[in-house]
């Protein structure tokens, strides 16, 4: 009986010309968003590859110089471009695409596309994620708001149930009947997107994407199921067809446009991050760290280890050791500062996810950016890897000074090295984390999305069992 009802509902929807118009618009926007996202991703990946190769050539092509001068010369680490950026660009426009690495300092990523965007672009981008998060739920509302309210106003609900149809079977049939036409819109776009990614992506990137795409599909299916459930619930309880439509449109608008802004404001109040002024002040304090105290400590250490009374008799160059230890001192301070910044952003994200109690988009949006690798946690993972690399090669240069500079108390101005040392430092490499890691920071979103589903599975049959059968 459930399948019979589902076939009837789907057939009625497919005969309705309004469905085809709205579905065609959503499908065109979705395919268009995937196509432009794919072109953007391809262009960005090509630019990053060329820039990384050019950067490596500049590094290895340096002239002979003191190793510490090379540490200040610095180099860039470029954030990898994942194929799933074509689906959801997340925070990519705000977190930067490259990170400059040099001695004595940790820097934030540079070249944020949002800085060069026009005012119109700041209103939002047409991405596949935007279509899935805002337009498909609207289509679901328009498909299902009359599921029970319409039958009741037409006077067909009571005769339908008098045929022996159980209310649970009726609810399940209505849900499946709404899902089937929806699949006609989404499945072709999903297949086209998956084929484009498989053909255009390098094998390693395609393999990395497979589990994430599967999980992303499950997240969006759950999101659409939530909207189907809410729509059936409201349609069963609404006093009229018009009331059902108004309530559902209000829920759709609040979920998509009010809740995200409100959640961001609440998160900032509950978990305030480090302000620009506070960051600048903390950074200035790092610049004032006492190198004089460090010089005394390093001198005492060298004299004790070599068992000599003056640095003129020491076995190493004191300024070189001081640079090595200074890098340790400043790196520890900078890492603590950037930990405060990152913890602030991630704390706000966790608070905002709690808003998914009333707005499921607040669970789906962070899960979408996490699985596409475009959220702040992925940016932090990349920045941490770049910082580990920066510290490693800067200390490698400082160690070369310790090993080869003229022993004593003064700076060895004559010591210089060439391309052999530059080439010995490996290029920056970065492995993207797996899908399990991506979801690890979004337990709240996963739990609340699951609770929405479980709650609606319980609530919809109860509402259908108690719904009035005649117009009120």
């Amino acid at each position: 009986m459930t399948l019979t009802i589902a076939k009837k509902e789907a057939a009625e929807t497919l005969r309705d010309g309004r469905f085809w118009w709205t579905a065609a618009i959503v499908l065109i926007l979705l395919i268009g968003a995937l196509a432009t996202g794919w072109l953007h991703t391809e262009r960005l990946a090509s630019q990053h590859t060329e820039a990384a190769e050019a950067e490596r050539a500049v590094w290895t092509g340096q002239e002979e110089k003191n190793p510490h001068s090379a540490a200040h010369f610095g180099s860039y680490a470029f954030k990898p471009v994942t194929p799933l950026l074509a689906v959801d660009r997340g925070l990519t426009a705000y977190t930067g695409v490259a990170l400059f690495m040099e001695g004595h300092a940790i820097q934030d990523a540079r070249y944020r596309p949002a800085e060069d965007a026009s005012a119109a672009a700041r209103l939002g981008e047409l991405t596949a994620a935007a279509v899935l998060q805002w337009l498909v739920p609207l289509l679901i509302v328009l498909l299902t708001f009359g599921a029970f309210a319409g039958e009741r106003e037409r006077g067909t609900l009571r005769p339908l149930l008098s045929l022996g149809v159980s209310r649970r079977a009726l609810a399940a049939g209505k849900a499946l009947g709404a899902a089937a036409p929806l699949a006609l819109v989404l499945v072709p776009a999903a297949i086209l997107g998956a084929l484009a990614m498989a053909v255009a992506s390098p094998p390693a990137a395609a393999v990395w994407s497979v589990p994430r795409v599967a999980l992303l599909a499950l997240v969006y299916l759950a999101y659409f199921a939530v909207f189907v459930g809410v729509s059936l619930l409201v349609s069963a309880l609404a006093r009229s067809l018009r009331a059902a439509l108004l309530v559902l449109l209000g829920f759709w608008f609040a979920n998509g446009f009010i809740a995200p802004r409100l959640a961001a404001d609440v998160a900032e109040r509950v978990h305030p991050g480090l302000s620009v002024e506070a960051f600048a002040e903390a950074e200035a304090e790092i610049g004032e760290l006492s190198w004089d105290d460090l010089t005394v400590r390093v001198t005492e250490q060298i004299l004790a280890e070599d068992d000599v009374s003056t640095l003129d008799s020491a076995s190493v160059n004191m300024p070189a050791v001081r640079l090595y230890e200074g890098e340790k001192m400043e790196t520890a301070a900078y890492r603590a500062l950037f930990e405060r910044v990152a913890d602030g952003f991630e704390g706000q994200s966790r608070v905002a996810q709690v808003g998914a109690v009333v707005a499921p988009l607040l669970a789906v949006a962070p899960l979408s950016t996490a699985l596409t690798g475009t959220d702040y946690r992925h940016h932090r993972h990349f920045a941490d890897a770049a910082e580990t690399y920066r510290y490693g090669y800067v200390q490698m240069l400082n160690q070369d000074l310790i090993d080869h500079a003229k022993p004593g108390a003064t700076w060895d101005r004559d010591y210089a090295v060439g391309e052999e040392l530059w080439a010995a430092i490996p290029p920056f490499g970065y492995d993207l984390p797996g899908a399990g890691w991506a979801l690890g920071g979004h337990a709240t979103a996963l739990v609340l999305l699951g609770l929405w589903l479980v709650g609606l599975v319980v609530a919809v049959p109860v509402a259908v069992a108690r719904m009035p059968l005649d117009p009120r």
Side-chain angles (χ1 to χ4, degrees):
M1 184 56 73
T2 299
L3 287 178
T4 302
I5 296 171
K7 288 179 182 176
K8 169 185 167 295
E9 290 293 322
E12 287 182 356
T13 300
L14 295 175
R15 282 198 296 270
D16 190 340
R18 291 171 296 182
F19 164 75
W20 287 109
W21 277 110
T22 52
I25 292 172
V26 171
L27 184 60
I28 290 171
L29 288 175
L30 185 56
I31 292 176
L34 282 170
T36 55
W38 178 70
L39 291 173
H40 172 77
T41 303
E42 284 290 293
R43 185 172 62 250
L44 204 60
S46 174
Q47 290 173 349
H48 281 211
T49 301
E50 290 177 7
E53 291 173 354
E55 181 65 21
R56 181 63 182 172
V58 168
W59 173 261
T60 55
Q62 292 180 83
E63 60 184 7
E64 281 198 354
K65 62 178 68 167
N66 186 282
H68 195 68
S69 297
H72 281 290
F73 182 75
S75 63
Y76 279 94
F78 292 91
K79 192 185 294 183
V81 179
T82 73
L84 297 181
L85 182 68
V87 177
D88 191 341
R89 297 182 192 177
L91 300 177
T92 307
Y94 304 93
T95 51
V97 299
L99 204 149
F100 184 64
M101 305 173 291
E102 64 172 336
H104 297 302
I106 299 176
Q107 300 192 16
D108 206 357
R110 301 179 179 183
Y111 309 117
R112 300 176 177 88
E115 293 174 346
D116 300 323
S118 64
R122 290 172 188 268
L123 296 175
E125 298 172 312
L126 177 62
T127 63
V131 175
L132 295 173
Q133 291 171 14
W134 281 284
L135 295 185
V136 173
L138 179 60
L139 181 61
I140 293 173
V141 166
L142 297 178
L143 278 176
T144 54
F145 77 96
F148 298 113
E151 296 265 14
R152 188 162 47 236
E153 287 203 355
R154 291 193 297 271
T156 56
L157 189 55
R158 183 178 289 280
L160 181 63
L161 292 173
S162 69
L163 296 175
V165 178
S166 72
R167 296 196 182 205
R168 185 178 294 273
L170 181 61
K174 293 282 187 183
L176 290 175
L182 198 63
L184 289 178
V185 179
L186 298 179
V187 171
I191 292 174
L192 285 175
L195 286 175
M197 185 185 72
V199 171
S201 303
V207 170
W208 174 85
S209 301
V210 168
R212 287 176 176 250
V213 168
L215 290 169
L216 198 61
L218 289 176
V219 167
Y220 278 108
L221 282 176
Y223 184 51
F224 302 151
V226 165
F227 259 87
V228 170
V230 170
S231 299
L232 293 179
L233 184 70
V234 172
S235 185
L237 299 177
R239 296 181 65 86
S240 66
L241 193 60
R242 177 180 296 180
L245 180 59
L246 288 176
V247 170
L248 287 171
L249 286 178
F251 175 71
W252 170 79
F253 186 81
N255 174 70
F257 299 96
I258 298 176
R261 183 65 261 172
L262 195 60
D265 290 342
V266 171
E268 196 169 354
R269 284 182 175 275
V270 173
H271 204 297
L274 201 63
S275 66
V276 175
E277 293 78 12
F279 181 88
E281 188 177 328
E283 198 171 24
E285 289 175 1
I286 295 174
E288 295 171 358
L289 289 174
S290 176
W291 279 77
D292 292 338
D293 292 344
L294 180 65
T295 301
V296 172
R297 180 165 61 82
V298 168
T299 300
E300 292 174 349
Q301 177 187 330
I302 294 172
L303 296 178
E305 289 178 353
D306 287 354
D307 194 20
V308 294
S309 56
T310 66
L311 289 173
D312 292 337
S313 306
S315 63
V316 295
N317 181 269
M318 188 280 287
V321 178
R322 180 173 172 268
L323 283 175
Y324 191 95
E325 296 298 325
E327 188 64 42
K328 277 186 186 177
M329 177 180 70
E330 290 179 323
T331 294
Y334 268 108
R335 286 183 178 179
L337 174 59
F338 275 87
E339 285 287 316
R340 288 174 61 194
V341 174
D343 289 345
F345 284 136
E346 293 195 9
Q348 290 178 6
S349 173
R350 287 193 294 272
V351 172
Q353 287 177 39
V354 176
V357 170
V358 295
L361 179 61
L362 297 180
V364 172
L367 290 173
S368 178
T369 55
L371 289 168
T372 52
T374 57
D375 63 348
Y376 185 78
R377 282 188 79 233
H378 278 80
H379 170 73
R380 184 178 183 178
H381 191 273
F382 160 76
D384 287 347
E387 163 50 22
T388 301
Y389 172 81
R390 181 202 70 83
Y391 181 74
Y393 90 74
V394 168
Q395 291 297 58
M396 186 174 171
L397 294 170
N398 287 332
Q399 185 63 52
D400 183 82
L401 265 176
I402 295 173
D403 294 340
H404 301 101
K406 186 186 300 180
T410 56
W411 179 249
D412 186 356
R413 296 182 181 277
D414 298 328
Y415 181 63
V417 290
E419 60 183 17
E420 188 175 345
L421 180 58
W422 317 144
I425 295 174
F428 173 67
Y430 174 64
D431 293 325
L432 283 158
W437 181 91
L439 291 178
H442 300 282
T444 302
L446 281 171
V447 169
L448 291 178
L449 187 59
L451 287 177
W452 267 99
L453 283 173
V454 172
L456 287 167
V457 167
V458 174
V460 170
V462 172
V464 172
R466 297 181 179 180
M467 69 179 176
L469 300 182
D470 300 311
R472 289 181 284 185

